[in-house]
Every structure is written in structure tokens, then in C-alpha cells.
Amino acid sequence: MNVLQEMLAAHPQPAANNEGLGEAARHLAACSQVCTSCADACLAEPMVADLRHCIRLNLDCADVCAATSHVVVRQTQTDPTLVQALLNACLTACRLCADECSRHANMHEHCRVCADHCRRCVEVCEALLEALPSG
Amino acid sequence: MNVLQEMLAAHPQPAANNEGLGEAARHLAACSQVCTSCADACLAEPMVADLRHCIRLNLDCADVCAATSHVVVRQTQTDPTLVQALLNACLTACRLCADECSRHANMHEHCRVCADHCRRCVEVCEALLEALPSG
Amino acid sequence: MNVLQEMLAAHPQPAANNEGLGEAARHLAACSQVCTSCADACLAEPMVADLRHCIRLNLDCADVCAATSHVVVRQTQTDPTLVQALLNACLTACRLCADECSRHANMHEHCRVCADHCRRCVEVCEALLEALPSG
Amino acid sequence: MNVLQEMLAAHPQPAANNEGLGEAARHLAACSQVCTSCADACLAEPMVADLRHCIRLNLDCADVCAATSHVVVRQTQTDPTLVQALLNACLTACRLCADECSRHANMHEHCRVCADHCRRCVEVCEALLEALPSG
């Protein structure tokens, strides 16, 4: 068990799906870091002027993943309406970032790693959306 | 002009609607602070056990408004798909928080102020959504 | 009164200095937005390659001001040790950002506005530090 | 290698100490999640009124660790003055949170896990502080 899974298992009203949720939250939090790092690496590239769109999407994705990772980790009286809307936004941010990063993945290893991690987060968001109680 | 409107007017590719956007971003950033403050005030109330749902929604709303305020303030190569999805999430967070806070607005002045500000942010999000280029 | 001052006045154990604190928190939250906006405007400049250090410091300052604005707005059982350490970090971030932005304030109006706002936040942090109960 | 270590190794000007830095940033980002989760679990406890100080410190620690995790992951033209001040604030936040959580670690497993993780982050901050170029 990772530390977030331990935390979720210790909640007074534990979720049905602690392990999946803990793993998902861990990926989303890591994605915020990965995108922050990719924006920073792009900024240091000699061809930074060609990486503007990438940096913009990295920064947005970092913000949205950070917020989403906090919201999904909370288990006290969750409202699925907000979780659903936010996961949709997060999935969109991760998909846009993955698409843009993969355009220069051949040239920049940091963009390849970032694209891969964002794609995995799209799947994480999709799995969490499917597991939501249907409204 | 507030300081954000000054910033947006000075962007190399200024948005068509700097003044509205600057005012909207200012409200969203303030909402993150207001909700953080409401969660903190609820926590200090003698009846904190009855305010769990309010605190939960305050914390979520603070996170989502912070992310949204950053994303909407960026003007470099904006992708409207993400802005739209995130404004929908933000509108949902503000509406849920406003509804819950207004339930104890008579008893707690901080919840009344928070409910009012969240309602105003719902309108801010709706106005920004209407101004988006239709996909 | 701005909305944060209203919130702080409604806290069950209001701080001695609600008005100053509300105004300070408002400036710090605005600074996170201003620095986010300056990083974004720098990114769109033709000479982005010369603005790397500015963008880096903008992004750091945005992160630190956001965290600080949340911590100082909380009034429930505050520990002055953390507030002090964090205000020192925030003051450092704002000073570095102001110094760098002012280097190209003549060329970029967004850097001039950002430098001015960051300088004001240095003063805000200094005033809050002075008002802390001495350890 | 974890994904952050991969990112840092791919930076155009990689840090001398990628592996340690990537591991440190991963712990700090996880700490923001762990503290968010502990605040949420405390909120759901029947004895929430006795956990106010813990929740307050959890929320502060989550904010400071999130900001710190972003700042330390950036490698482009780093200013050690800010990193040092922020690591001091982060170390303080983690220590206060660990101390408070450990007071009810016997009763609340989530506080025990959180205290352990915060202690580890104190060590992480200390190690990063030692590795900074002396000013």
C-alpha cells in the first residue's frame, strides 16, 4: 500500500474502493509535479519560443491536476456532481497536454515522459468517472 | 482599473474583453480566499460537528476556484475546450457551496457572506462561458 | 470593507487586526494572480528567451503567495512560528520577482505593474511580520 | 526511477542531484495529499471538536508542501535564497503537523500515518537545505 492508500483506509467512513482511489490520487498529484517540471524544462530549451503552447498547457494541467487530486482524496460527504465535473475538466487538461507534448516527444525526452504520464491520468480520470454513482 | 485588468491590458496579445475578464478573475481568486476563510470560521464554531458538509464544500470550492482563477487569467494560446470544462466544474463547486452556506446563513454571518460571494461567482462563470468562442 | 474583511470580522474568534489582515490577504491573493499573468505575458513576448529568469520567478512567486494568502487568512488556533517562516519566504519571493521584473519594466508594461505589486506585497509581509506576537 | 526523477534527468540543464531531488519532490507532493486526507478524516471523526488544531495544521501543511514541491522541482535559473526560505517554512509546517498528529496517533490511525509522513518530510527538507550552495 502506498501512503495515500493507508490514509484512505484509515478514514472513519472508508470508501468502497480505497486502493483504486489512492492510486488514482497519487497519479493526479504526480501529474501536477510532472507538468510543472515539463513547463520548467521547456523554458530552459534553446527553442523555447516554439514551446509556448506546450508550456501553457503544462501550467494549466498542473493547476487542474493539483485541485483534482485534493478533491478526490476527500471522502467526507462527497458530492458526486462536483467530482464528475472536475474529473471531466482534468481529463480534458491531461488529454490536451498529452497531445501537445507528444508532438515534440521525439525531440524532448521530458515531453515524452510528460505525455505518457498525462495519458495515464486520462485513464485514471475515466476509471474514476465510471466508478461514480450515476446521477 | 484593478491590477489584474492592468496586467491583462499589457499582454502582448490582449483579449477582446480585458475588463470583464480581469474582474472575473479577481472574483474567482477572492472566492478561493473567502471559502478558505469560511472553512476556518466553521471549524472554530462551537457546533463544528454540524458544519462538516459546509467545511467539505468550502475546501473543494477553494481548490477549484484557485485553479480556475489561474487558468482564466492566462491568455497565451488558450484552448477553449479546457476553459469550458473547468468553468463548468467551478460553477458547480460555487453553486454547491452557496446552497450549503445559505442553509445556515441566519446563524453564521461568515456563511452568509460566503454564500453571497459564491453566488456572484456562479454568475461570473456563466458570463465567461457565454463569452467563449462556440466549439 | 472588502469581502475578506467581512469574512474575518465574522470569525467566531476575530483577530485583533481584521482590517489590516483582510487587506494583506487580498494583496497576497492578487499577487498570485498578477505573477501568473506576468509569466503568461512574458511567454507571449517575441523575446521570450530573454525572459526565462522572469518567468521562473513569477511562477515561484505565484505559488508562494497563493499558499501564504491561505495560511494568513486562517484564524483558528494560529501558530505564529509557521506564519513567520512563511512570511519570510513570501517576502523573499516577492522581492526577487520585483527586482527581476523591474529590470525590464521599461520595455514591458506587464513587468512594471508586476514589479509594483510585488513591492507592495513585500511591505504587506513586513507589516504582518511586525504585528506577530514575538516568540 | 520514479517519474519525477525521469523528468529531472531530462531537463536541458540537469541538477547535480536528480535522484535525491526527485525523491524529495515526490515526498513533498505526497505530503500535501496526506495532510489534505488527514484534515478530511479528522473532519469525519465523532470527536471533530477536539481535532480543530490538527485540522488547522493539516490544511496549512498541505498548502505549504504543495507550493514547496513545485518550487523545488523547477531547475531553470534557481535562486537558492528563495528555496532556503521556503524549505524553512515547509520544515516548520511539517514539524508542527507531525507533533500535533502524534498526540492522537494512538486513537486515530490516519494521524499516525500523517505524523510519520510529515516527519519524513522534515528530514527531506533538512537534506535539501544542506545540499544548497551556501550563500
Side-chain angles (χ1 to χ4, degrees):
Chain A
M1 280 210 292
N2 70 44
V3 67
L4 263 182
Q5 290 170 324
E6 282 186 80
M7 287 302 295
L8 291 168
H11 192 284
Q13 291 113 32
N17 177 26
N18 277 329
E19 298 213 0
L21 194 61
E23 194 61 7
R26 193 175 69 86
H27 274 97
L28 291 169
C31 200
S32 180
Q33 290 285 91
V34 166
C35 288
T36 297
S37 179
C38 194
D40 179 70
C42 287
L43 187 64
E45 291 289 350
M47 61 182 288
V48 56
D50 298 328
L51 294 168
R52 286 183 176 103
H53 195 41
C54 193
I55 293 174
R56 163 67 200 263
L57 291 170
N58 282 152
L59 294 174
D60 283 358
C61 196
D63 283 332
V64 178
C65 284
T68 307
S69 70
H70 279 187
V71 170
V72 300
V73 102
R74 293 188 188 111
Q75 292 301 307
T76 304
Q77 302 191 30
T78 301
D79 189 304
T81 324
L82 171 57
V83 177
Q84 185 177 36
L86 190 55
L87 285 171
N88 274 321
C90 192
L91 184 154
T92 304
C94 291
R95 188 175 285 151
L96 288 167
C97 195
D99 287 352
E100 179 62 25
C101 274
S102 62
R103 267 183 210 115
H104 16 251
N106 285 339
M107 239 182 307
H108 304 303
E109 172 69 2
H110 50 83
C111 287
R112 189 197 60 74
V113 178
C114 189
D116 283 357
H117 194 79
C118 285
R119 285 237 170 74
R120 213 164 153 187
C121 278
V122 171
E123 292 168 9
V124 160
C125 291
E126 285 171 342
L128 289 179
L129 279 167
E130 273 172 42
L132 281 181
S134 58
Chain B
M1 280 212 291
N2 70 44
V3 67
L4 262 182
Q5 290 170 325
E6 282 186 79
M7 288 301 295
L8 290 169
H11 192 284
Q13 291 113 32
N17 177 26
N18 276 329
E19 297 213 2
L21 194 62
E23 194 61 6
R26 193 176 68 87
H27 273 98
L28 291 169
C31 200
S32 180
Q33 290 284 91
V34 165
C35 288
T36 297
S37 179
C38 194
D40 179 70
C42 286
L43 187 63
E45 291 290 352
M47 60 182 289
V48 56
D50 297 329
L51 294 168
R52 287 184 176 102
H53 195 41
C54 193
I55 293 173
R56 163 68 201 263
L57 291 170
N58 282 152
L59 295 174
D60 283 359
C61 196
D63 283 332
V64 178
C65 284
T68 307
S69 70
H70 279 186
V71 171
V72 300
V73 102
R74 294 189 186 110
Q75 292 301 308
T76 304
Q77 303 190 30
T78 301
D79 189 304
T81 323
L82 172 57
V83 177
Q84 185 177 37
L86 190 55
L87 285 171
N88 275 321
C90 192
L91 185 153
T92 304
C94 291
R95 189 175 283 152
L96 288 168
C97 195
D99 287 352
E100 180 62 26
C101 273
S102 63
R103 264 180 214 119
H104 16 250
N106 286 338
M107 241 183 304
H108 304 303
E109 173 69 2
H110 50 83
C111 287
R112 189 197 61 75
V113 178
C114 188
D116 283 358
H117 194 80
C118 285
R119 286 238 169 72
R120 215 165 151 185
C121 278
V122 171
E123 293 168 10
V124 160
C125 291
E126 286 172 342
L128 289 179
L129 278 167
E130 273 173 41
L132 281 182
S134 58
Chain C
M1 280 210 293
N2 70 44
V3 66
L4 262 182
Q5 290 169 325
E6 282 186 78
M7 287 302 296
L8 290 169
H11 192 284
Q13 291 113 30
N17 177 26
N18 277 330
E19 297 213 1
L21 193 61
E23 195 61 7
R26 192 175 70 85
H27 274 98
L28 292 169
C31 201
S32 180
Q33 290 284 92
V34 165
C35 288
T36 297
S37 179
C38 194
D40 178 70
C42 287
L43 187 64
E45 291 290 352
M47 60 183 287
V48 56
D50 297 329
L51 295 167
R52 285 183 177 105
H53 195 40
C54 193
I55 293 174
R56 162 68 202 262
L57 291 170
N58 282 151
L59 295 175
D60 282 359
C61 197
D63 283 332
V64 179
C65 283
T68 307
S69 70
H70 279 188
V71 171
V72 300
V73 102
R74 293 189 187 111
Q75 292 302 307
T76 304
Q77 302 190 30
T78 301
D79 188 304
T81 325
L82 171 57
V83 177
Q84 187 177 36
L86 190 55
L87 284 171
N88 275 321
C90 192
L91 186 153
T92 305
C94 291
R95 189 174 284 151
L96 288 168
C97 195
D99 287 352
E100 180 62 27
C101 274
S102 63
R103 266 181 212 117
H104 14 251
N106 285 339
M107 242 184 302
H108 304 302
E109 173 70 2
H110 50 83
C111 286
R112 189 199 59 76
V113 178
C114 188
D116 283 357
H117 194 80
C118 285
R119 285 238 171 72
R120 214 165 151 187
C121 277
V122 172
E123 292 167 9
V124 160
C125 291
E126 286 171 342
L128 289 179
L129 278 167
E130 272 173 42
L132 280 182
S134 58
Chain D
M1 279 210 293
N2 70 45
V3 67
L4 262 182
Q5 290 170 325
E6 282 187 80
M7 287 302 296
L8 290 168
H11 191 285
Q13 291 113 31
N17 178 27
N18 278 329
E19 297 213 2
L21 194 61
E23 194 61 6
R26 192 175 70 86
H27 273 98
L28 292 169
C31 201
S32 179
Q33 290 284 91
V34 166
C35 288
T36 297
S37 179
C38 195
D40 178 70
C42 287
L43 187 63
E45 290 290 351
M47 59 182 289
V48 55
D50 297 330
L51 295 168
R52 285 183 176 103
H53 195 41
C54 193
I55 294 174
R56 163 66 202 263
L57 291 170
N58 282 152
L59 295 174
D60 282 0
C61 196
D63 283 333
V64 178
C65 283
T68 307
S69 70
H70 279 187
V71 171
V72 300
V73 102
R74 293 189 186 111
Q75 292 302 307
T76 304
Q77 302 189 31
T78 301
D79 188 305
T81 324
L82 172 57
V83 177
Q84 186 177 35
L86 190 55
L87 284 171
N88 274 320
C90 192
L91 185 152
T92 304
C94 291
R95 188 174 285 152
L96 288 168
C97 195
D99 287 352
E100 179 62 26
C101 274
S102 63
R103 266 181 213 116
H104 15 252
N106 285 338
M107 241 183 304
H108 304 302
E109 173 70 3
H110 50 83
C111 287
R112 189 198 60 76
V113 178
C114 188
D116 283 357
H117 194 79
C118 285
R119 286 240 171 72
R120 213 163 152 189
C121 278
V122 171
E123 292 167 9
V124 160
C125 291
E126 286 171 342
L128 289 178
L129 279 167
E130 271 173 42
L132 281 181
S134 58

